[in-house]
Amino acid sequence: MTDRQYPIPSDFASVSNLKPSDYRTLYERSVTDREGFFRDQGARVHWMTAPSHVGDWSFESPVKIEWYKDGVLNVTESCLDRHLETRGDKVAILFEGDEPGNSRKLTYRELHGEVCRFANVLKARGATKGDRITLYMPMIPEAAVAMLACARIGAVHSVVFGGFSPEALAGRIVDCDSHILITADEGVRGGRTVPLKVNADAACQIAAKAGVSVDTQLVVRRTGGDVSWDADRDVWLHEAVASVSGDCSPEPMSAEDPLFILYTSGSTGQPKGVLHTCGGYLVWAAMTHDYVFDLKEDDVYWCSADVGWVTGHTYIVYGPLANGATTVMFEGIPTYPDASRFWQVCDDHQVTLFYTAPTAIRALMREGDGPVQKTSRSSLRLLGTVGEPINPEAWEWYFHTVGEGRCPIIDTWWQTETGGAMIVPLPGTTPMKPGAGTFPMFGVEPALVDADGNTLSGATEGNLILKTSWPGQMRTVYGDHERFEQTYFSTYPGSYFTGDGARRDEDGMYWITGRVDDVINVSGHRMGTAEVESALGSHPSVAESAVVGYPHNIKGQGIYAYVTTTAGTEETDALKAELVKHVRTEIGPIASPDLIQFSSGLPKTRSGKIMRRILRKIAANDYGNLGDTSTLADPSVVDALIDGRMSG
Ligand code: WTA
């Protein structure tokens, strides 16, 4: 790890909203007078009834987390209505399609109208407050409109990433008992179509077998491609909106009513439905979006994530719209039609704030400086990253080649569970070190602990916990509060365990080192090894499997699967290909194993527990320090695995 340090670029420092001393003052107040600090922050959103409570929470069992609990609001009033008077004609969503030149602007007034009409369509199909509505959408403005329409009527949206398979989509529909599904005929990415309606239809069938019937499928026409149609269930959005009013009054919601569920992978079992509520989440989204991006009124802000992930929720939709910003929505991919696309879009729309993932930076870096240098990028003033640790090489390239040394690199560490950014070099407040998350966001109190939960002080490395609650914290796992407590609060009782490891250096800066549990991070996407194992295990030729992450140049981590086949199975390359295909069908392309190794045995302890530490080392081609293997039931499997790895 390089510990090179860069000062705040001087042009940026002279106009930044926050100065170094502001960070110290605000942080100090946020932890010594939390009530006062977060009462003030609460004013960032529009309340129908202002809250008298601020934070009411306990990390001791029974875990309870409430913020602003007697406040009443509807998040869409903060994101839309309140802007109409002063920002009605300001662009709210700037859509850039997959094909260059295909762009569309929606002002706050237009977005407000579309959301109200969409909300009325949902009402006409019987949706009411508290209903769960699933979205399976491409990156088009209608995705944001649909999310806000749900919020308008008090329904709880569950957005499922458009790259997930019908099986995975169905699992999520069933888990939250959702009877309305919003999708599109097809998506378009990198010049190819994605068969969303076909997948959605298949998911409805699978869900029906599990006892959950989708009564309404609301379909956005994106490509006009042929789709099959169930007249009882399917409704074209463009037809339905024609017959509804453009007025829809916002449903009054308690601050602690649910806003959305977002499924995410954990170290065990099936994905869990992370639940966020209206009040605290919106305050956190608005506050962090403002501070993290040094937001100014005329910024053009672009977060290149997908709305299917939490980054899209907080930093494409809720944060920017609550702050009255112009938010870019990009349908395509960084390399289509070529590797200069990101920077071309920045030039075309004069983007000032840009936020992307390290995996995209690494993929573009591989293409060399040429595609970057043929663009101007002169509008850019801040560059952000999220989703995985950024390696210093990628950081340096982003800083020097893309930003030409003018733009601070804002590396934001956070999680689906945290709702918004938690450890971040707030722009204008701190020098930067390539790869360091630096310091905690206001109100965030991180600590490093050892395996026994002892708090470590000074420059050290350990497991990252958070000692106190913040408004954007998830409230529960949908339908399973016990799993919530078990997952996050049982490892280090009284604290929230992040699942990440971190180092703290001599300057007190935090460096996130990655997951310390059985979650792997593939191109910034979270994947549970147990999920991939369960997908592999459902193939008839697989007797047993163990999945681990291994270092991958572009993806950060790749998926490595050790597979023991059933007796008599021929272990061929064709079978490997079939297993990859099988996982894609069960979960989706993002879960595809990058490497499969057939192995007649797995390293197990005498009690039958697989020693993943050994498997991780072998997958990483790191055979020198395998640690103690004497507790293995059969130590000879290790040599066989190494032989297999070396010849594979
Ligand atoms: C990892 C994405 C290092 C981390 C917002 C975390 C990061 C997981 C960073 C959450 C970062 C995210 N530096 N690691 N800047 N950002 N991570 O829920 O392991 O999709 O626990 O949320 O991504 O992934 P999730």
Side-chain angles (χ1 to χ4, degrees), residues 252-583:
M253 305 290 284
S254 145
E256 284 300 329
D257 280 336
L259 175 60
F260 65 84
I261 299 167
L262 187 56
Y263 286 88
T264 192
S265 295
S267 44
T268 56
Q270 290 308 302
K272 45 184 178 280
V274 168
L275 185 110
H276 282 286
T277 54
C278 297
Y281 171 79
L282 196 68
V283 170
W284 195 245
M287 174 188 123
T288 56
H289 177 259
D290 181 13
Y291 287 135
V292 168
F293 296 103
D294 188 57
L295 190 67
K296 298 184 168 48
E297 188 61 41
D298 53 2
D299 273 317
V300 176
Y301 160 83
W302 177 17
C303 164
S304 78
D306 191 287
V307 289
W309 310 113
V310 73
T311 308
H313 283 58
T314 306
Y315 295 120
I316 295 178
V317 180
Y318 289 111
L321 296 179
N323 289 333
T326 295
T327 178
V328 175
M329 264 184 100
F330 176 49
E331 187 182 32
I333 59 171
T335 48
Y336 178 82
D338 62 46
S340 69
R341 184 67 190 279
F342 269 178
W343 325 121
Q344 201 67 58
V345 174
C346 288
D347 283 359
D348 289 350
H349 298 302
Q350 291 295 292
V351 171
T352 56
L353 312 169
F354 179 65
Y355 191 33
T356 195
T359 187
I361 298 167
R362 285 191 299 267
L364 295 176
M365 187 167 88
R366 193 177 56 171
E367 307 291 325
D369 295 357
V372 186
Q373 280 161 356
K374 73 182 199 197
T375 62
S376 149
R377 288 156 285 110
S378 58
S379 56
L380 288 173
R381 64 181 194 90
L382 179 151
L383 297 169
T385 88
V386 60
E388 50 177 320
I390 182 164
N391 48 312
E393 301 71 38
W395 193 104
E396 299 267 356
W397 187 79
Y398 200 30
F399 182 67
H400 294 292
T401 305
V402 176
E404 294 173 352
R406 282 180 290 112
C407 310
I409 303 294
I410 309 301
D411 173 7
T412 62
W413 173 82
W414 59 292
Q415 313 179 296
T416 306
E417 293 89 336
T418 70
M422 302 294 280
I423 294 182
V424 43
L426 282 175
T429 73
T430 171
M432 304 167 292
K433 293 182 191 173
T438 74
F439 298 109
M441 172 56 75
F442 306 132
V444 173
E445 296 185 82
L448 299 180
V449 294
D450 65 17
D452 301 322
N454 303 308
T455 303
L456 307 168
S457 55
T460 185
E461 189 166 341
N463 289 347
L464 179 64
I465 62 166
L466 302 169
K467 296 192 296 186
T468 48
S469 182
W470 62 99
Q473 185 170 23
M474 75 181 284
R475 300 301 195 256
T476 192
V477 170
Y478 182 77
D480 197 348
H481 197 68
E482 207 180 301
R483 185 169 176 200
F484 175 60
E485 287 205 26
Q486 184 61 34
T487 307
Y488 303 103
F489 302 94
S490 68
T491 319
Y492 302 111
S495 297
Y496 168 86
F497 179 39
T498 62
D500 280 309
R503 167 167 88 89
R504 188 171 47 224
D505 68 18
E506 319 67 49
D507 298 322
M509 287 189 180
Y510 286 89
W511 302 66
I512 310 299
T513 49
R515 302 290 303 197
V516 294
D517 55 9
D518 290 321
V519 170
I520 49 188
N521 193 323
V522 190
S523 302
H525 301 150
R526 262 166 84 162
M527 192 47 61
T529 52
E531 278 171 77
V532 184
E533 286 163 9
S534 126
L536 283 167
S538 67
H539 189 280
S541 302
V542 175
E544 188 174 29
S545 71
V547 169
V548 295
Y550 75 103
H552 187 288
N553 281 344
I554 303 291
K555 298 180 179 186
Q557 282 190 300
I559 300 181
Y560 198 102
Y562 297 87
V563 169
T564 309
T565 54
T566 46
T569 302
E570 239 191 291
E571 297 181 339
T572 59
D573 285 345
L575 176 60
K576 285 187 184 175
E578 193 182 312
L579 292 177
V580 170
K581 195 163 151 253
H582 182 71
V583 174

